[in-house]
Amino acid sequence: MVFDVEQQGDGLVDVGTHLVDLIQWEAFPEEVLNKEDVEVVSARRWSTSLTPEMFQRLTQLDMYPGYLDKYLKGDVLQVSSNGEMVYKLKGVSQRFL
C-alpha cells in the first residue's frame, strides 16, 4: 500500500473521477457535455488519521517509511483520501462524497 499522494495521487481524485463519469452517463446518456454545463457549488477534503498501530496492521511494517514523514502530525499519519463535491450539471444538482 502506498500512502504518498506524490507517488500514486490523491484517493479523492481517483474515486471522484469515476463517480463524475457515472453521474454523467446516468443523467445525460448519449449527450456531449461542455465545461459551460458545469457549475461547482462547493468542495471540501479531509484526511484519514492512521495511528502507528493501524499502519502496522495494514502494512505489516513496524514503522512509517521516511517518505511519509511529511504527512505525520506527531506520530499519526494523515492520509489524504476523503472529499465531497457538490456541483450542477446542466442545472441538475449532483453530489459525491
Side-chain angles (χ1 to χ4, degrees):
M1 292 187 163
V2 180
F3 297 96
D4 185 354
V5 297
E6 292 178 15
Q7 289 185 30
Q8 75 172 29
D10 189 308
L12 173 63
V13 173
D14 180 51
V15 174
T17 300
H18 299 297
L19 292 174
V20 167
D21 284 343
L22 289 172
I23 289 169
Q24 291 174 356
W25 293 334
E26 291 291 323
F28 302 98
E30 307 297 323
E31 287 190 46
V32 175
L33 299 169
N34 300 301
K35 66 180 182 178
E36 295 81 23
D37 296 327
V38 179
E39 175 192 348
V40 176
V41 176
S42 66
R44 66 185 180 106
R45 58 188 287 179
W46 62 97
S47 299
T48 296
S49 299
L50 290 180
T51 64
E53 295 80 17
M54 296 163 80
F55 185 82
Q56 196 279 328
R57 285 177 52 199
L58 285 169
T59 65
Q60 302 302 307
L61 297 174
D62 292 329
M63 56 190 328
Y64 302 118
Y67 65 86
L68 294 177
D69 287 350
K70 60 189 161 202
Y71 303 112
L72 293 174
K73 279 191 182 176
D75 68 345
V76 178
L77 183 64
Q78 303 300 312
V79 180
S80 179
S81 58
N82 305 293
E84 173 188 44
M85 186 168 129
V86 179
Y87 65 103
K88 292 182 181 177
L89 189 55
K90 290 192 166 194
V92 178
S93 293
Q94 314 290 329
R95 174 179 179 242
F96 71 81
L97 181 64

